Each structure stands twice: as structure tokens, then as C-alpha cells.
Amino acid sequence: MDIHSIDSNVKFPDMAHYDMKKPGEMALYLAHCDFYPFRSVIENNKTALDIISNSYIELAAKAREKDDFITEQWAMTSGTLHSCRVDLLTQYSLLLTMVSLLEEAVNTLCRIYHQMNHIEKELKDIRGSGLERAAKYLKTEVGIQGFTADEQWEYITTIRDARNMVVHNGGRLVRDFDKFDKFNIGYREEDHQLYIEYNDIVNMYNAILDFMDRSFRIIPSDK
């Protein structure tokens, strides 16, 4: 089902496709408000990076035709650094933003249930942090079973762990190598530096959307 507007190049959710009387549907709508436009951010970055990369290639080729060794060397060096470092750092930035949006979306789900169902405890009253704290709140206070049993949960938490490695270790893995291997999240063997590309970001984005579309619609059961 197509649940986004069609009158813009930037996708945005159509409220008519959500039951705003249900906490999960309201939270999903708010999550989509962030995540649908974020896909355009991913694609716009890819377009810009490709344009810059191609410009270095073209500049090097033109300089070679003119026997301009200095300009050719500069363009080739700049292009290599662009591909190896600028592109990577851009994907890191997208990863950080995407996981932050996910955590806020899950926290918002908890807050809406707290408000609409008049639950005594708030999310802040639960020990822990991040996705696991929210999942615990949804299970113990809201009565949502199966949030962490979702087929994408392990991949989602691995994406979160990749974000944490960027934030705290400059993108270098220090543990759980098997888990990153399982989900084909690449890293250099010599120093365990995460190597994330455009396709990785797209796969992560799709997995997060897929996860939210299912888990946010889980109907609470009696605790």
C-alpha cells in the first residue's frame, strides 16, 4: 500500500492512511514524517558525491591530454581521498542521523502509549538506555509482546552498534565481529575500521522502515 504523498519528489506520509486514535499508528506516522524525507537526504548525498567524483576523473583526463602532470596528479589524489575518506565520512554521518531518528521514534512510541493509555510509569523510570530500555518499557508497562522478537531486531541492534562504534571509537570495531559479518557490514581486516557504503545505508534504511512498520503496529495484550 502506498501511504506517502505523490505530489512531491520528497516522500511524505499521508495522514489519511493512519488511525490516529491508535498510539502505534500515531507514532508510526511521526516516524515516517522523519524517515520518508530522510531517503531524499541519502539520495541527494549520493548524487553530490558522484558528481564530485566524476569531476575529478574528468579533470584528470583533460589534464592528461594537455600533458599537465601537476593538475592530473592533484585531481587523481583528490579523487582518491574523496572516494576513500569523504564518501566514508558522509555515510558515517547518515548512519548517525538515521539511528538517532530510530531511537527517537521508538521513544516517541513509548511516550504516546504513556499519555494515551494513562500509564503510571514513564520511559525514564525504566533502568537502562536506548532501544533495549524502550523495548523493556513496551513489554512490561504497555503489554507489547514480540517487539524484540521481530525478524529484523538483531539487524536493527547491529546497525545501532555500528553507530556506537562510530561515535565512541572513530568507526573501529572492538567486539561482536561475527555479528557484523552476519549482516555483511564491512570493515578492514587490518584495523577493523567500519567501511560503510551507499548500498549499506540503503539496506539499513529499508530494514529500519520494515521493522517500524511491523513492530509499531503490534497490539498490546494484557500484561
Side-chain angles (χ1 to χ4, degrees):
M1 182 178 65
D2 191 11
I3 60 174
H4 56 74
S5 60
I6 59 174
D7 296 327
S8 171
N9 288 329
V10 179
K11 292 182 179 180
F12 200 74
D14 185 343
M15 192 179 291
H17 295 292
Y18 303 81
D19 185 349
M20 302 303 279
K21 295 180 181 179
K22 296 180 179 179
E25 295 266 338
M26 181 185 293
L28 187 60
Y29 169 75
L30 294 174
H32 284 168
C33 285
D34 285 332
F35 270 88
Y36 281 178
F38 187 69
R39 181 57 188 262
S40 294
V41 176
I42 295 172
E43 298 304 329
N44 289 345
N45 272 279
K46 176 68 163 58
T47 299
L49 290 168
D50 285 348
I51 290 173
I52 294 171
S53 179
N54 289 334
S55 70
Y56 285 129
I57 294 172
E58 292 173 4
L59 182 59
K62 290 179 180 179
R64 190 178 307 115
E65 292 174 357
K66 298 177 181 179
D67 294 324
D68 184 353
F69 175 74
I70 294 176
T71 301
E72 180 186 0
Q73 185 180 46
W74 175 86
M76 293 180 65
T77 301
S78 298
T80 300
L81 288 173
H82 173 78
S83 299
C84 294
R85 299 305 301 168
V86 176
D87 195 336
L88 178 62
L89 293 174
T90 299
Q91 307 312 323
Y92 279 2
S93 297
L94 292 172
L95 173 63
L96 264 60
T97 302
M98 186 163 54
V99 174
S100 295
L101 291 176
L102 167 64
E103 290 182 333
E104 176 57 22
V106 176
N107 290 344
T108 296
L109 176 65
C110 296
R111 288 194 292 266
I112 291 176
Y113 267 112
H114 165 71
Q115 295 169 0
M116 293 184 68
N117 288 12
H118 307 289
I119 298 173
E120 181 178 354
K121 283 188 177 181
E122 298 182 48
L123 178 60
K124 65 181 179 64
D125 298 324
I126 303 299
R127 294 185 62 181
S129 61
L131 295 174
E132 284 79 7
R133 180 178 68 164
K136 183 178 180 181
Y137 180 86
L138 292 170
K139 180 178 180 180
T140 60
E141 304 303 321
V142 179
I144 289 180
Q145 308 296 324
F147 196 80
T148 59
D150 185 90
E151 60 189 74
Q152 293 281 28
W153 177 255
E154 186 180 6
Y155 185 28
I156 296 300
T157 55
T158 302
I159 295 169
R160 185 274 318 277
D161 291 345
R163 186 281 308 269
N164 290 347
M165 293 299 101
V166 173
V167 172
H168 301 296
N169 297 294
R172 288 177 172 79
L173 304 184
V174 296
R175 60 181 181 277
D176 299 329
F177 300 106
D178 290 344
K179 188 162 65 171
F180 287 91
D181 291 337
K182 177 179 179 179
F183 294 107
N184 296 314
I185 300 176
Y187 56 90
R188 291 197 300 255
E189 290 294 336
E190 58 268 26
D191 61 358
H192 300 146
Q193 175 83 42
L194 276 170
Y195 195 80
I196 297 175
E197 299 178 308
Y198 162 78
N199 287 336
D200 298 312
I201 292 295
V202 171
N203 290 338
M204 292 173 180
Y205 172 88
N206 289 335
I208 290 173
L209 267 185
D210 184 53
F211 167 74
M212 292 193 302
D213 286 345
R214 279 194 307 274
S215 63
F216 281 39
R217 289 191 170 101
I218 298 176
I219 304 300
S221 58
D222 293 334
K223 292 181 290 181

